[in-house]
Amino acid sequence: MHDRTSRRTLLTATAATAVAAAAGMAGAPGAVAAQKSVRSSHTSAATTQRLKRLISRMSLEEKVGQLFVMRVYGHSATEPDQADIDANLAEIGVRTAAEMIAKYHVGGIIYFAWAHNTRDPHQIADLSNGIQRAGLAGPNSVPLLISTDQEHGIVCRVGEPATLMPGAMALGAGGSRSDARRAGQIAGAELAAIGIRQNYAPDADVNVNPANPVIGVRSFGSDPQSVAGMVAAQVKGYQSAGIASTAKHFPGHGDTSTDSHTGLPVIGHTREQWAELDAPPFKAAIAAGIDSIMTAHIVVPALDPAEDPATLSKPILTGILREELGYDGVVVTDSLGMEGVRTKYGDERVPVLALQAGVDQLLNPPSLAVSWNALLAAVKSGEVSEARLDESILRILRLKTKLGLFDDPFVSHRGVDRIVGTRAHLAAADRIAEHTTTLLANDGALLPLSRRSHRNLLVVGADPASPSGTTGPPTTTLAQAFNELGHSATALSTGTAPTRAGIDAAVAAAQGKDAVIVGTYNVSATSAQRTLVSELAATGVPVITIAIRNPYDIARLAGTGYAASLASYSWTDVELRAAARVIAGRAEPEGRLPVPVQRADDPAQVLYPVGYGLTY
């Protein structure tokens, strides 16, 4: 049975008094209500003075800790599984989240599925409450800002039964700002209900490079103004639900062919190109009232001749973001464990240089002890002034105040049941997804498939792991969707690199079928996925391909003999079900390409332009 203790009961009388005094608020329960009540006053002079008094009571160690947002293993703040205790001891030197908070006074914690933080909504709510209890137990009773990467689409940490929305490029294909805002509003409300109050979304990168290995469908598209409009809509949606939205990755990660997780990308844009291509979505996010902006571990020589990663660049973060664009909200680094930020300087220097550059929150360093002690030493030595430290802490505490965390940081199981994964939210996700599926080819008007002439279907193709760990596999999801729509479908996984035996099995299974659906995943020039499609088409059975990640697959499939081709932009269930409804004629293909698809043999030639999409 779930503990249904109320938020007010969870907030002990002692902690409530201390927190209210620190923030200067009387407590209306409920995170969203609190957020609304303080929205107009979170930057008031009186609030600022109260927060400054709180900062003045903090020890130097507490101050340094406020800047860090750290991972921790386990489903519970105090009683994680033994394997998670072992992982915490090995990586952080503590057993639990509560011990980490007590030792390092961290200002935030980031949730990951792989860290076993996100099993189910009720467990996440309990973990969040445990983390907040640990924060309130500290000397100054400061609540934590709990965050995650819930972009939807291919980046999701919280899975079913929470509502999963179409990702950014799918929304870009739908072209509806109201859909984008509604998706953010629903997703934000569900995150707030489980205690996650800062979401590292939306992605504000303009994906102008089809070879981009790290952004791709995480971007709304390739047109700066269109992306800007979608980013602003999502920011408003998320923040109307009482969470902090985060535009990323400043100054723009859309034109890279290197993954900053494993290397240090260099962007060759001129200052003028940056202003035209990369800046508009971030300007739109700022105009929409964005609460936080995440930095990119990229080098842009035109913006910083010293060629420091943007995360460590004062000309970029202070000179451009703060001074030119007028942004005074929270700046958070991308993960400090990524190779892109570790290439030029050692882990001891990174947090110091980031703070000097203009960063406020230091996200997920590889070693908390190394980074925390390095920053502490830099302040003690005078390399970083305590005034500079206080400046970032004030921004962080203002945000916590705005979100109502000083009033009441707790969530309830009743709230989870009332908000997370509701029938209305799931139905909205399906409706929004139906607007995104893009039909790129339909030779002979094969689609929509009739149950009379094309009842027996085979679904083959790639089965990448679920982004959230809770959905799929894609071939099974598609087959089930077709069965529910009145077809008779069977699934056969052939993978992202089909073997000879796998291709032969698929060809054999296609015999006697009325059509074959092939889920493709980032097809390359030498990919065996090409061979799979070609040999299936050679059987004479009509082949329908669905690009379940990047929409560029169709260019690599030229000449394979497919009869129809669609793009779903992700392999999460909501997008795959929508694609099945389009194929079966239960929904119209309304999506339009938000990026151009160039010819595989001549990238200078556009095969399908932005805005292309067929209808029935």
Side-chain angles (χ1 to χ4, degrees):
M1 178 180 294
H2 295 302
D3 173 17
R4 295 182 178 273
T5 308
S6 71
R7 297 182 187 183
R8 190 54 59 196
T9 302
L10 286 170
L11 189 61
T12 64
T14 301
T17 301
V19 174
M25 295 183 215
V32 175
Q35 185 267 342
K36 290 179 180 177
S37 72
V38 300
R39 179 179 294 275
S40 61
S41 62
H42 77 279
T43 57
S44 70
T47 298
T48 297
Q49 288 305 311
R50 284 190 286 268
L51 293 177
K52 285 182 175 179
R53 286 196 294 272
L54 171 59
I55 294 170
S56 72
R57 296 197 297 270
M58 291 181 179
S59 67
L60 191 55
E61 290 77 9
E62 288 177 275
K63 289 183 176 184
V64 168
Q66 274 298 306
L67 272 57
F68 284 93
V69 181
M70 187 60 182
R71 70 189 178 278
V72 67
Y73 291 87
H75 71 286
S76 165
T78 54
E79 297 180 349
D81 295 338
Q82 187 60 48
D84 292 322
I85 291 175
D86 295 341
N88 286 329
L89 287 169
E91 293 188 18
I92 312 172
V94 297
R95 292 165 49 85
T96 68
E99 288 182 11
M100 181 177 69
I101 294 164
K103 181 174 182 178
Y104 289 106
H105 315 288
V106 293
I109 286 180
I110 179 173
Y111 287 169
F112 291 104
W114 52 259
H116 310 138
N117 304 140
T118 57
R119 290 180 178 176
D120 66 75
H122 285 283
Q123 167 268 319
I124 300 170
D126 287 337
L127 173 60
S128 299
N129 285 340
I131 285 169
Q132 297 297 0
R133 287 191 198 96
L136 296 182
N140 285 294
S141 299
V142 181
L144 279 83
L145 187 52
I146 299 171
S147 61
T148 199
D149 290 285
Q150 189 79 349
E151 297 176 19
H152 292 269
I154 72 168
V155 177
C156 269
R157 312 304 187 203
V158 180
E160 292 182 346
T163 305
L164 297 180
M165 288 287 174
M169 192 169 286
L171 292 171
S176 168
R177 295 182 184 180
S178 63
D179 278 356
R181 180 168 183 161
R182 180 63 175 147
Q185 188 178 46
I186 290 172
E190 295 198 6
L191 289 176
I194 57 178
I196 298 173
R197 303 302 297 280
Q198 184 179 26
N199 188 21
Y200 300 136
D203 192 303
D205 301 311
V206 181
N207 199 74
V208 295
N209 188 340
N212 196 321
V214 65
I215 304 301
V217 292
R218 297 169 63 190
S219 163
F220 289 104
S222 63
D223 177 73
Q225 297 306 320
S226 296
V227 172
M230 300 300 280
V231 165
Q234 284 246 285
V235 169
K236 291 174 182 176
Y238 279 122
Q239 295 190 179
S240 70
I243 69 167
S245 181
T246 308
K248 61 186 185 185
H249 308 80
F250 190 83
H253 209 316
D255 191 9
T256 64
S257 55
T258 300
D259 187 342
S260 52
H261 290 84
T262 57
L264 180 57
V266 178
I267 308 291
H269 292 181
T270 65
R271 179 64 185 258
E272 292 72 25
Q273 287 173 324
W274 174 81
E276 181 182 352
L277 293 172
D278 301 295
F282 292 100
K283 290 182 177 179
I286 293 169
I290 189 75
D291 282 326
S292 51
I293 291 177
M294 179 178 284
T295 68
H297 305 325
I298 59 174
V299 168
V300 189
L303 304 185
D304 182 359
E307 299 193 8
D308 282 331
T311 298
L312 310 179
S313 169
K314 188 168 185 177
I316 291 175
L317 298 186
T318 297
I320 296 176
L321 182 57
R322 295 282 192 211
E323 295 173 0
E324 286 187 28
L325 301 188
Y327 178 67
D328 192 38
V330 170
V331 173
V332 56
T333 70
D334 205 343
S335 171
L336 297 182
M338 294 166 61
E339 195 60 32
V341 77
R342 305 174 73 189
T343 299
K344 190 171 180 179
Y345 303 98
D347 290 339
E348 298 89 347
R349 295 300 299 157
V350 165
V352 176
L353 295 173
L355 193 67
Q356 290 174 331
V359 159
D360 301 306
Q361 289 185 307
L362 301 161
L363 177 62
N364 199 31
S367 169
L368 180 57
V370 168
S371 296
W372 190 89
N373 282 306
L375 187 54
L376 181 64
V379 179
K380 286 183 175 179
S381 72
E383 182 182 7
V384 173
S385 71
E386 197 163 351
R388 172 66 191 89
L389 195 66
D390 292 353
E391 179 186 327
S392 284
I393 297 169
L394 181 60
R395 288 196 188 98
I396 294 166
L397 296 185
R398 277 176 172 166
L399 181 53
K400 291 180 179 182
T401 301
K402 176 183 177 181
L403 297 174
L405 290 171
F406 277 105
D407 176 75
D408 183 353
F410 297 111
V411 293
S412 70
H413 288 293
R414 181 179 298 175
V416 172
D417 291 335
R418 189 177 67 249
I419 295 170
V420 178
T422 64
R423 185 175 300 177
H425 285 180
L426 296 173
D430 281 333
R431 285 195 302 273
I432 291 170
E434 282 187 356
H435 302 158
T436 69
T437 305
T438 306
L439 179 61
L440 299 174
N442 190 19
D443 296 346
L446 172 66
L447 302 183
L449 293 181
S450 165
R451 283 177 292 173
R452 294 179 181 177
S453 58
H454 295 87
R455 184 173 185 276
N456 294 315
L457 308 177
L458 173 67
V459 180
V460 304
D463 273 337
S466 167
S468 64
T470 62
T471 63
T475 54
T476 300
T477 297
L478 280 167
Q480 289 175 342
F482 284 117
N483 287 331
E484 291 170 4
L485 293 168
H487 294 267
S488 177
T490 56
L492 176 64
S493 177
T494 51
T496 55
T499 63
R500 182 69 260 171
I503 293 172
D504 290 343
V507 169
Q511 302 302 318
K513 299 297 183 183
D514 298 318
V516 180
I517 290 87
V518 183
T520 65
Y521 182 96
N522 291 2
V523 180
S524 66
T526 58
S527 173
Q529 294 179 78
R530 273 185 51 86
T531 306
L532 172 67
V533 173
S534 182
E535 295 197 14
L536 284 169
T539 67
V541 178
V543 172
I544 303 158
T545 68
I546 305 175
I548 64 172
R549 185 166 177 164
N550 292 326
Y552 311 113
D553 286 1
I554 191 170
R556 293 291 186 187
L557 295 174
T560 57
Y562 62 80
S565 186
L566 305 92
S568 69
Y569 307 99
S570 179
W571 60 97
T572 52
D573 289 8
V574 67
E575 286 158 297
L576 295 176
R577 288 195 304 265
R581 290 195 297 276
V582 168
I583 291 170
R586 301 299 182 88
E588 293 289 324
E590 298 181 32
R592 300 290 181 269
L593 279 175
V595 293
V597 175
Q598 287 107 338
R599 288 180 52 148
D601 58 349
D602 184 5
Q605 300 296 316
V606 173
L607 190 62
Y608 299 103
V610 171
Y612 181 86
L614 301 176
T615 58
Y616 295 150

